[in-house]
Amino acid sequence: MLNLIMSSNDEPWQVPEGHSATASMDLSRYLEYTNDNIYKDFIKLTSDVIEKLKSFPCLLMTEFDKDNSNKPVIKFFSHVRLVKLTSIAVEDQRVNYTFELLQDYGKVDVSDFDEVPGEFIIHYYEMSRTHWAIKDINLNSVLTTFGLTPLPVPPPPIITVDNANAIHSENICVDSVVSFLEEVNKFKPVDGTELFYRGHSDIIYKLEPSLFRTEKGVPLYVNNEKNMINDMVTAHPSEFYHDDFMADKLVRMQHYRLPTRLLDVTANPLVALYFCCSEKMGTETEDETIGDVKIFTVNSNDVKFYNSDTVSCIANISQLNAEEKEYLINEPAPLNSKKEKARKRLLHFIRAEKPYFEDAMKIEHLRSILFFRGRVANSRISSQSGAFLLFGHDAVLPDTGYSNLNVKSISVCNKKEILKQLELLNIKASTIYPGIEETAKEIAKKFKSDVNVIK
């Protein structure tokens, strides 16, 4: 295993060999471009996980510089340092790490990065992205590929990592509607708070919107958010003609399964339980897969509506391209020309729906996660008691344990039996997804002949 920390700014790393220094990065960048199997074991920075990370060797690399001077051959260079991590802590949604510099290799030709055995640099976006990844790669393989002589590194001690997604024997796994409601009743909201719920068919699923999903650590959609939205509106303009706010458009796109920065939640715990049990129905592993229902506790005053100024600010981020988002939100102050241009573009989009909007955007709000109630534009939102989580740019995900959300969960098993119990309460596909199509499916299922029954 290997820690790979990349940054566009290596000033905090500039210390003599044998000396120590402290640097930091946004927690939202931790475990980017990391294999999903590794991600689930290291996403929560518990004391055990931190000790494990410190036991791994660590490479500090600057984002790759491209050299086109010898066309058609393209070279890539990075300033490479080998360090030992001595402390890791999270504060104000940033990961602070202290290291001892073991070897400063200087500017290195890393053009052969794709020849490193295993998944080292897994996507071209990774070469120019500040992030912290964990790679299942041997340090010596990396250094040898780059023509560097590694320092002798002792084998790391064997440390057991507490898998944050594992189901421990002492955890309760509800197996009926009654036992589920008994657990739900333990989370009664106090005055001034509300509860929302979300069902996951598999307990290992990340609590993130579809826009942020990855495969083998590579983001699938987020870098093309603006293009997806423009294509959708261009292809079906009449669908969005009456949507006055960008939040309305995102809700409609979410309804039609376009990846967005929204995550559906519900005020009805039984609806969340239905989704937990029904999503993978019909697969061979359905009875063996433990799901869960997430429970969110939120202050009532923090629940926004579709016409909230803060909702408009975050929703309209989706109309900026990837570079503009970075300049606006992650580029350090003071304002430069590109940051100012991105700010003005966002302001233009907001004022298109709110002409009165004053130039008083708070950058920290653009990275937050908030609850909002969408307009009941279709029967599905109404039937599901629906609301949404709206994720800002580079928001710290709830799975880290350091987001601004208060999240608990209830593990769920015996799903087929629970679905039968929910149907007795009229919680079924035709009521969750109202419409003639789902009703037809329900009727067909009800009257379908059993081929195994002898008449």
Side-chain angles (χ1 to χ4, degrees):
M1 290 287 193
L2 172 70
N3 290 293
L4 173 62
I5 301 178
M6 296 191 69
S7 178
S8 59
N9 176 23
D10 69 344
E11 185 175 348
W13 302 343
Q14 296 175 9
V15 295
E17 292 179 4
H19 287 66
S20 297
T22 299
S24 69
M25 72 164 54
D26 288 330
L27 182 58
S28 62
R29 303 296 184 92
Y30 171 65
L31 296 191
E32 287 190 347
Y33 299 98
T34 297
N35 183 279
D36 289 342
N37 291 328
I38 299 174
Y39 179 99
K40 66 183 178 64
D41 286 341
F42 289 89
I43 183 57
K44 288 190 176 179
L45 285 169
T46 63
S47 57
D48 286 344
V49 167
I50 288 174
E51 289 304 311
K52 189 71 171 177
L53 289 174
K54 287 162 57 179
S55 73
F56 298 154
C58 180
L59 283 180
L60 305 181
M61 300 181 65
T62 56
E63 295 176 12
F64 290 6
D65 289 326
K66 183 188 293 186
D67 184 355
N68 295 315
S69 59
N70 294 317
K71 290 184 177 180
V73 178
I74 299 176
K75 293 285 189 179
F76 293 96
F77 293 89
S78 173
H79 194 133
V80 181
R81 297 171 173 88
L82 176 63
V83 305
K84 175 179 174 57
L85 296 174
T86 56
S87 74
I88 302 171
V90 178
E91 183 178 0
D92 295 331
Q93 297 191 342
R94 292 187 67 84
V95 184
N96 301 316
Y97 58 95
T98 301
F99 63 88
E100 178 188 352
L101 181 60
L102 304 178
Q103 180 75 53
D104 188 339
Y105 294 102
K107 189 175 183 180
V108 175
D109 184 344
V110 294
S111 305
D112 294 332
F113 64 87
D114 56 343
E115 296 183 12
V116 177
E119 297 179 337
F120 181 53
I121 301 297
I122 56 180
H123 196 274
Y124 67 91
Y125 282 137
E126 187 174 6
M127 299 185 299
S128 57
R129 175 79 170 172
T130 296
H131 68 286
W132 182 332
I134 301 176
K135 307 289 187 177
D136 189 11
I137 290 177
N138 182 273
L139 170 66
N140 290 354
S141 298
V142 179
L143 298 180
T144 300
T145 301
F146 295 156
L148 305 173
T149 302
L151 293 178
V153 179
I158 299 176
I159 301 174
T160 302
V161 174
D162 180 19
N163 184 349
N165 294 297
I167 302 298
H168 301 293
S169 58
E170 65 271 19
N171 285 3
I172 295 175
C173 188
V174 301
D175 59 2
S176 68
V177 172
V178 171
S179 60
F180 172 72
L181 290 176
E182 288 175 349
E183 290 299 308
V184 167
N185 281 333
K186 296 178 181 179
F187 299 92
K188 292 181 179 178
V190 299
D191 289 344
T193 66
E194 297 182 41
L195 296 182
F196 292 96
Y197 308 86
R198 178 176 171 81
H200 283 174
S201 62
D202 195 321
I203 199 167
I204 70 171
Y205 285 171
K206 300 175 186 177
L207 195 56
E208 65 181 5
S210 54
L211 182 71
F212 293 174
R213 286 177 186 162
T214 62
E215 184 175 322
K216 296 182 179 180
V218 177
L220 298 176
Y221 306 110
V222 69
N223 292 307
N224 293 301
E225 180 182 24
K226 173 185 175 182
N227 295 335
M228 290 192 301
I229 289 173
N230 287 341
D231 280 4
M232 187 73 166
V233 175
T234 300
H236 299 279
S238 61
E239 289 284 344
F240 304 95
Y241 182 77
H242 296 292
D243 292 335
D244 298 324
F245 299 96
M246 190 64 207
D248 293 333
K249 292 184 175 68
L250 292 180
V251 168
R252 195 174 301 278
M253 291 174 189
Q254 177 86 348
H255 170 74
Y256 289 117
R257 300 185 183 279
L258 186 76
T260 73
R261 56 181 57 247
L262 300 182
L263 196 65
D264 300 75
V265 294
T266 174
N268 187 336
L270 293 180
V271 170
L273 181 62
Y274 173 84
F275 283 118
C276 171
C277 296
S278 66
E279 185 177 331
K280 295 170 69 173
M281 182 53 60
T283 64
E284 294 180 359
T285 60
E286 176 60 29
D287 284 340
E288 303 172 8
T289 304
I290 297 176
D292 70 350
V293 171
K294 305 291 186 184
I295 303 175
F296 305 88
T297 302
V298 57
N299 291 328
S300 298
N301 291 335
D302 292 336
V303 180
K304 307 296 184 181
F305 289 88
Y306 66 92
N307 57 355
S308 156
D309 286 353
T310 306
V311 169
S312 289
C313 289
I314 298 178
N316 280 288
I317 292 174
S318 59
Q319 301 199 74
L320 302 180
N321 62 37
E323 184 181 58
E324 288 169 335
K325 294 170 190 171
E326 287 299 305
Y327 280 123
L328 175 63
I329 299 170
N330 293 323
E331 189 74 13
L335 289 174
N336 57 37
S337 58
K338 292 183 177 180
K339 187 181 182 78
E340 177 65 9
K341 182 179 178 181
R343 188 189 64 79
K344 287 182 177 180
R345 277 182 57 78
L346 178 58
L347 189 61
H348 166 75
F349 292 128
I350 296 170
R351 285 178 173 167
E353 61 187 42
K354 293 185 171 183
Y356 62 83
F357 185 83
E358 295 183 2
D359 187 3
M361 286 185 292
K362 295 182 179 180
I363 297 299
E364 61 269 22
H365 287 171
L366 301 181
R367 305 186 58 179
S368 61
I369 305 173
L370 55 83
F371 290 86
F372 87 97
R373 301 184 191 276
R375 283 198 272 195
V376 184
N378 59 67
S379 56
R380 182 178 297 185
I381 294 177
S382 177
S383 64
Q384 296 175 10
S385 303
F388 301 92
L389 279 172
L390 175 60
F391 284 67
H393 182 66
D394 270 359
V396 174
L397 299 181
D399 291 334
T400 65
Y402 289 96
S403 77
N404 60 322
L405 301 181
N406 182 351
V407 189
K408 305 294 182 183
S409 67
I410 299 174
S411 303
V412 179
C413 51
N414 196 27
K415 297 179 182 177
K416 288 185 178 179
E417 182 60 31
I418 289 177
L419 283 175
K420 294 177 183 177
Q421 297 171 12
L422 287 172
E423 188 168 0
L424 295 175
L425 300 172
N426 204 34
I427 305 292
K428 53 187 179 180
S430 58
T431 55
I432 294 293
Y433 303 106
I436 192 170
E437 182 179 357
E438 288 298 332
T439 302
K441 288 181 182 178
E442 287 285 343
I443 294 172
K445 180 181 177 181
K446 179 179 178 180
F447 290 100
K448 183 178 180 181
S449 298
D450 188 341
V451 296
N452 297 315
V453 175
I454 300 175
K455 300 295 185 182

